[in-house]
Amino acid sequence: MSAQRDMKEKNPWHTPVTIIFSVIGVIAIVALVTVAVLQNRPLPQKYKYGIVLDAGSSHTALYIYEWPAEKDNNTGRVEQTLSCKVDGPGISSYASAPWKAGKSLTKCLEQARQKVPVKRHSETPLYLGATAGMRLLNLEDSSASTKVFQAVEEALQKFPFSFQGARILSGQEEGAFGWVTVNYLDDRLEQNLQTRGALDLGGASTQISFVSDNFDGSDSPDNAVAFRLYGNDYNLYTHSFLCYGKDQALRKTLAQQTKSGPGTILDPCFHPGYTETKNYSVLYDSPCVSDRKPQGAPATFNHTGKGNFSRCQEVVKRIFNFTECKYSQCSFNEVFQPRLQGPFGAFSAYYFVMNFLNLTDTSIPLEVVTERLSRYCATPWNQVKEQHPGVKLKYLAEYCFSGTYIVTLLTKGYNFTSENYPNIKFIKKIKGSDAGWTLGYMLNLTNMIPAEAPDSPPLPYAGYVSIVTVIALLLFVLFIFSLRPLWPRCSKHPQII
Ligand SMILES: Nc1ccn([C@@H]2O[C@H](COP(=O)(O)OP(=O)(O)OP(=O)(O)O)[C@@H](O)[C@H]2O)c(=O)n1
Ligand SMILES: [Ca+2]
């Protein structure tokens, strides 16, 4: 028994010197790793915010974006955190009572005030961008448009955000920023992947934007937007067709059928059994059609549905000019368009309409799309109403026209074929953020997409911690070995005293 006790006492690791060194070493390692980890740990997430109001022709929507406070420059990090649809029509509809345009926005801005933390309010930029509705009002009556902007600015300045101004976007900007949004959210820009074209269908204008190898801007400089993003150059083709949004296209289509000012229009784009009395003055109250107003027409007309897809398509085709083109190739109305290339994302009214019609799946062949539309258009209006009790009647009445218009615009207007139609994806949101021009607009104005690729730390945080720990352990082992001369001699066969 006593011999065993002596062996234990002679264990060389149990001498006071090594015990002290070991304890100091362990404390040093723990201290070193703790300091390194604490010093370099990611700070608790703090967010910054940006607010954009999309003042469209048919309605206004407010979007709040947020991103981690320290990482303004990294891609894929800005996300939509709130969207609020403003009640009532677009701001251009308040031309005769501009103050109402300002007032209409306050409910959504109140929501924004609640959502953004108080201490961030004063540094949160707030932008309002108006699109085709205000473009048209500006053409028609520029002083009315100025008054609407004054009223809107007054209302926005009452909120504690950093108001950066309200303005009309050009069609080029609207198209280009829609393209930036889609490709930013898809992470295609920083990773230099093939980009996705953007198709936006609004109420008053429609945009097409894409990168094509056979387009460098020389053919048609008005359609070119050059970007340098994350170290890559993009020559974007973009065009906005004013008056070819879905509501104005409907006016143009009706105007085609009311040239002589008849008392009744038998409209193939509306369901059989649909009949409404409409005012000529309301129909022609838009610069898109005002020059076509029939002389000596009665005050009203009976708008009666006939529900015939192919005849509807014939009338819709008449609102496009396909005959003249001074370039190598055109879409329509003498507008240059390079060869379609790559995948496309189609959003806003493209999505609303195709989603309603259950046609968002583009693997459905175009012939089947046409068949289904023919069947839908031929469905009696009473039956349509019965089948969709929750849908606003104004929207519901127009889906036959809208579906026909979309198919015609894509295939006859932009020249999509059965082969490349499946390249289109109808989308509403990408990773939780709405597809549309607003995010691209804010990223641009806040310089959030750098021209050159940002430097990133060579190691992720977990890798850094592991390496520090391993090196500290190695140093400790080396240190212990360097003390070898101090180690007490230990014999393989301890002597029994
Ligand atoms: N559930 C919905 C919502 C909207 N719409 C229609 O979609 C069109 C508007 O789309 P939107 O992208 O909101 O247009 P705006 O931005 O208001 O117009 P613009 O971009 O031309 O200024 C309108 O015709 C509206 O009637 C629809 O058919 N179904
Ligand atoms: Ca829009």
Side-chain angles (χ1 to χ4, degrees):
M1 279 298 285
S2 110
Q4 272 178 351
R5 205 178 307 128
D6 281 348
M7 256 176 74
K8 253 189 194 166
E9 279 162 9
K10 293 258 168 178
N11 186 332
W13 291 101
H14 288 187
T15 63
V17 179
T18 39
I19 289 172
I20 289 167
F21 276 130
S22 303
V23 170
I24 293 174
V26 169
I27 291 172
I29 287 177
V30 171
L32 179 68
V33 172
T34 313
V35 168
V37 169
L38 288 181
Q39 182 65 25
N40 291 285
R41 93 181 151 197
L43 296 170
Q45 289 269 292
K46 285 187 188 142
Y47 289 95
K48 285 189 176 177
Y49 300 83
I51 306 173
V52 186
L53 281 150
D54 171 358
S57 63
S58 67
H59 79 289
T60 302
L62 176 147
Y63 299 97
I64 304 186
Y65 299 103
E66 66 171 22
W67 59 94
E70 311 79 32
K71 298 199 172 178
D72 295 0
N73 263 352
N74 281 6
T75 188
R77 303 206 128 258
V78 181
E79 282 171 9
Q80 182 179 312
T81 174
L82 181 123
S83 72
C84 175
K85 188 181 176 301
V86 168
D87 293 335
I91 58 170
S92 54
S93 307
Y94 294 104
S96 52
W99 65 275
K100 286 189 184 166
K103 187 171 171 276
S104 71
L105 308 179
T106 52
K107 217 160 113 186
C108 282
L109 275 143
E110 270 309 328
Q111 271 196 38
R113 197 213 291 266
Q114 301 292 321
K115 180 80 189 174
V116 176
V118 174
K119 64 173 195 283
R120 293 281 183 202
H121 280 172
S122 64
E123 66 181 56
T124 297
L126 167 65
Y127 307 93
L128 181 141
T131 50
M134 288 302 284
R135 257 175 241 144
L136 289 175
L137 180 62
N138 196 36
L139 284 177
E140 207 179 10
D141 182 351
S142 70
S143 84
S145 131
T146 308
K147 282 181 195 140
V148 169
F149 273 119
Q150 278 168 353
V152 157
E153 285 178 357
E154 217 171 279
L156 297 182
Q157 275 157 354
K158 292 204 175 102
F159 287 84
F161 306 113
S162 167
F163 179 52
Q164 304 289 308
R167 57 179 283 265
I168 299 181
L169 265 73
S170 69
Q172 248 190 15
E173 289 176 300
E174 192 181 1
F177 292 134
W179 178 88
V180 170
T181 300
V182 166
N183 288 284
Y184 175 86
L185 291 172
D186 261 354
D187 287 336
R188 288 170 189 261
L189 301 176
E190 198 182 23
Q191 294 177 26
N192 197 18
L193 302 174
Q194 182 188 35
T195 55
R196 184 183 280 282
L199 296 163
D200 180 358
L201 178 60
S205 75
T206 189
Q207 290 69 241
I208 177 167
S209 315
F210 60 99
V211 169
S212 176
D213 292 339
N214 73 348
F215 179 71
D216 60 7
S218 55
D219 308 1
S220 167
D222 289 351
N223 296 121
V225 178
F227 284 118
R228 185 167 174 81
L229 309 169
Y230 301 111
N232 307 307
D233 288 312
Y234 300 94
N235 277 318
L236 183 68
Y237 165 83
T238 185
H239 192 82
S240 174
F241 292 90
L242 189 60
C243 298
Y244 286 81
K246 158 187 165 311
D247 302 328
Q248 295 300 328
L250 175 58
R251 279 184 201 256
K252 282 168 93 67
T253 308
L254 276 173
Q256 281 295 329
Q257 303 173 83
T258 51
K259 278 181 185 156
S260 58
T264 298
I265 305 171
L266 302 177
D267 191 337
C269 302
F270 282 69
H271 297 277
Y274 171 91
T275 184
E276 288 281 319
T277 305
K278 295 185 179 172
N279 277 321
Y280 268 110
S281 56
V282 174
L283 169 60
Y284 283 92
D285 180 21
S286 152
C288 297
V289 288
S290 51
D291 58 331
R292 292 163 165 263
K293 191 167 181 183
Q295 297 297 308
T300 60
F301 61 94
N302 288 322
H303 188 204
T304 300
K306 278 289 170 193
N308 184 318
F309 168 79
S310 49
R311 278 184 40 221
C312 173
Q313 190 167 38
E314 286 309 309
V315 190
V316 168
K317 271 199 272 186
R318 279 193 251 141
I319 71 170
F320 300 96
N321 173 358
F322 297 121
T323 50
E324 275 130 273
C325 176
K326 61 178 189 222
Y327 304 99
S328 52
Q329 48 192 336
C330 287
S331 45
F332 56 93
N333 296 5
E334 297 185 72
V335 172
F336 171 76
Q337 181 182 289
R339 191 169 43 80
L340 295 170
Q341 188 180 308
F344 281 81
F347 45 88
S348 41
Y350 281 115
Y351 179 84
F352 303 143
V353 172
M354 296 309 253
N355 184 50
F356 173 85
L357 296 168
N358 275 327
L359 290 172
T360 51
D361 176 3
T362 45
S363 67
I364 302 172
L366 266 174
E367 308 81 71
V368 178
V369 171
T370 308
E371 269 167 38
R372 291 208 196 157
L373 265 175
S374 304
R375 228 178 307 134
Y376 178 69
C377 287
T379 311
W381 178 225
N382 273 338
Q383 202 175 315
V384 172
K385 281 194 286 190
E386 256 172 50
Q387 284 164 354
H388 305 279
V391 181
K392 244 165 94 174
L393 283 185
K394 187 191 130 32
Y395 288 162
L396 195 59
E398 293 177 2
Y399 284 124
C400 162
F401 164 78
S402 306
T404 311
Y405 177 60
I406 286 174
V407 169
T408 312
L409 175 64
L410 292 175
T411 58
K412 314 285 179 213
Y414 298 146
N415 302 317
F416 279 93
T417 59
S418 311
E419 280 75 54
N420 58 13
Y421 178 73
N423 295 351
I424 302 174
K425 204 163 130 189
F426 292 101
I427 43 176
K428 177 167 167 55
K429 289 186 176 219
I430 304 172
K431 298 180 190 158
S433 301
D434 281 79
W437 58 265
T438 50
L439 175 55
Y441 186 64
M442 190 199 70
L443 293 173
N444 181 59
L445 289 175
T446 51
N447 289 319
M448 211 116 55
I449 302 187
E452 302 305 328
D455 294 329
S456 52
L459 281 177
Y461 179 69
Y464 164 79
V465 169
S466 322
I467 287 178
V468 166
T469 312
V470 168
I471 291 175
L473 283 170
L474 280 176
L475 283 174
F476 176 63
V477 171
L478 270 178
F479 173 69
I480 293 291
F481 270 92
S482 71
L483 296 176
R484 242 186 111 164
L486 297 175
W487 291 2
R489 292 206 147 262
C490 95
S491 134
K492 238 182 173 181
H493 306 289
Q495 274 190 313
I496 299 167
I497 303 170

